[in-house]
Amino acid sequence: MARTRDDLWRDFPKTATEFEERFATEEDCRVYWIEARWGGEPACARCGSKRVWTIRDGTTFECAECDHQTSLTSGTVLEKTRKRLKMWFRAAFEISTRRTGISAKDLQRIMGFGSYETAWTWLHKLRASMVRKEREPLRPFVQVDEALIGGKGGPNKELVLVATEAGGRVRLAHAANNDEATLKRFADGQIAPDAEVTTDGLASFNERSLGERPHEPKVQTKAERREKDALQGCHWTISLLKRWLLGTHAGAVRRKHLQAYLDEFAFRHNRRKTNGVARIAARVIEGLIASEPLPGRMLVEATIACRWFDLAQPEPSR
């Protein structure tokens, strides 16, 4: 009987030692990948038949019905990878279980990559797998705010929209501006229609941007914020984000890739209370399977800034 996603989660290693024991060989990783992708029964990508046999040292399946060959990684983020699954599992563990993540330079050293570019590409593929398409919107009490991060001086900083549940999950989006249309797309995509929303006094937070959601704008002085900050969740999140970008990545995050780093931060932050830190890697591996192929060239040439809002902005000169 095929195991479900929840079965895999419950059975996933909780500690680094257990992780290393469970995925000690390439075959261990291959078995888990097959269970996570096909429920333990590989299927043909063309006709869906499960009458397949393995070829090429177990990395490819040939269909008995249509002769089509399906590789372990075809149709996933890892399509056409030349590296072993064991290395990808290790990289997923490194980026997901460290509280501060990992830089491309550190990953290059740990994994023994010959170039910085390889480590950088791997990390971006892993970040792309951290966004679940079916994730639930924020509720029931949500704070929304915006902040400027990165760069030196106002013109060089980037606008980030942040929404936080009370003591729960966060969403972060790189935006070109904070007008009503942008805030509406952010709210409609990330906040439940029945959520109660608290914001500051920004005029763009209104019925046109927040819809029929109950809305309480809070305009506070510094003294009032020290006493009881109405947007404490947002302010803490932004503070932690800035420290992480500066500490782990030395502030060297390019404008068009900022959203990927925001996604990584939110992914780990939202799983900070996970029982068994190594289990976070299971979600990354699931994402590697569920996400579409992401060639390195696409990362460099097709990535745009503020992509949540379909706004392609030119890369500013530094």
Side-chain angles (χ1 to χ4, degrees):
M1 182 177 178
R3 294 201 292 173
T4 66
R5 175 177 171 179
D6 288 339
D7 291 333
L8 290 173
W9 168 256
R10 283 191 289 268
D11 188 44
F12 202 85
K14 292 184 178 181
T15 67
T17 301
E18 293 175 355
F19 182 90
E20 291 174 353
E21 292 175 350
R22 172 71 179 277
F23 302 112
T25 68
E26 181 69 5
E27 180 60 23
D28 294 334
C29 299
R30 187 157 44 231
V31 169
Y32 184 86
W33 184 274
I34 291 172
E35 288 186 342
R37 183 175 183 182
W38 291 293
E41 298 181 89
C44 175
R46 176 185 289 172
C47 69
S49 172
K50 295 183 178 181
R51 292 185 59 210
V52 299
W53 61 84
T54 58
I55 58 175
R56 298 175 186 170
D57 296 325
T59 63
T60 306
F61 304 98
E62 185 165 327
C63 180
E65 302 290 344
C66 67
D67 297 328
H68 181 73
Q69 294 181 354
T70 303
S71 75
L72 282 170
T73 58
S74 62
T76 73
V77 169
L78 303 190
E79 183 173 274
K80 296 183 179 181
T81 183
R82 296 181 180 178
K83 298 294 186 180
R84 295 175 298 157
L85 284 179
K86 189 174 185 294
M87 294 187 67
W88 280 102
F89 276 42
R90 184 68 196 189
F93 178 87
E94 293 292 340
I95 193 175
S96 61
T97 60
R98 293 169 180 251
R99 177 177 289 181
T100 57
I102 188 171
S103 68
K105 196 66 180 177
D106 283 338
L107 185 68
Q108 179 189 4
R109 186 182 70 253
I110 290 172
M111 303 296 293
F113 293 141
S115 70
Y116 173 87
E117 288 74 16
T118 298
W120 182 89
T121 300
W122 274 46
L123 285 179
H124 272 288
K125 289 187 176 185
L126 291 166
R127 291 180 184 116
S129 71
M130 292 179 173
V131 181
R132 292 190 303 114
K133 296 179 180 179
E134 72 277 13
R135 62 186 182 179
E136 293 291 322
L138 305 182
R139 60 162 52 94
F141 304 104
V142 180
Q143 301 170 12
V144 185
D145 200 5
E146 72 284 335
L148 294 172
I149 66 171
K152 294 183 179 181
N156 297 315
K157 291 184 177 294
E158 299 299 328
L159 179 67
V160 172
L161 304 180
V162 54
T164 67
E165 290 177 335
R169 299 170 297 158
V170 305
R171 294 281 192 275
L172 297 160
H174 180 201
N177 55 60
N178 56 1
D179 60 14
E180 291 177 355
T182 300
L183 294 178
K184 175 175 171 55
R185 293 197 64 179
F186 181 63
D188 289 348
Q190 308 305 321
I191 304 174
D194 58 348
E196 297 184 22
V197 179
T198 302
T199 70
D200 59 15
L202 181 68
S204 299
F205 291 120
N206 53 43
E207 291 183 358
R208 290 183 292 277
S209 59
L210 298 176
E212 297 182 358
R213 299 174 182 85
H215 173 217
E216 184 178 9
K218 288 279 190 177
V219 180
Q220 295 182 299
T221 64
K222 291 183 178 180
E224 290 173 333
R225 283 199 297 272
R226 284 194 295 269
E227 186 68 24
K228 184 179 181 181
D229 189 351
L231 299 177
Q232 189 175 68
C234 290
H235 295 158
W236 279 357
T237 298
I238 290 297
S239 177
L240 290 171
L241 173 66
K242 288 180 178 179
R243 286 189 210 172
W244 173 65
L245 290 174
L246 186 60
T248 300
H249 302 288
V253 175
R254 295 186 66 186
R255 181 174 185 264
K256 71 177 182 178
H257 294 297
L258 176 58
Q259 186 60 56
Y261 291 86
L262 299 180
D263 292 338
E264 178 191 345
F265 176 88
F267 174 87
R268 262 196 315 274
H269 182 86
N270 293 346
R271 290 161 180 79
R272 64 195 182 279
K273 299 178 182 179
T274 297
N275 179 22
V277 66
R279 281 178 161 178
I280 304 175
R283 298 307 188 203
V284 180
I285 294 170
E286 290 173 6
L288 289 173
I289 293 171
S291 302
E292 297 178 353
L294 185 60
R297 177 173 293 182
M298 182 181 295
L299 278 172
V300 176
E301 299 178 358
T303 301
I304 61 173
C306 308
R307 55 184 175 275
W308 271 25
F309 308 99
D310 295 328
L311 297 175
Q313 301 292 331
E315 187 76 8
S317 58
R318 291 294 190 227

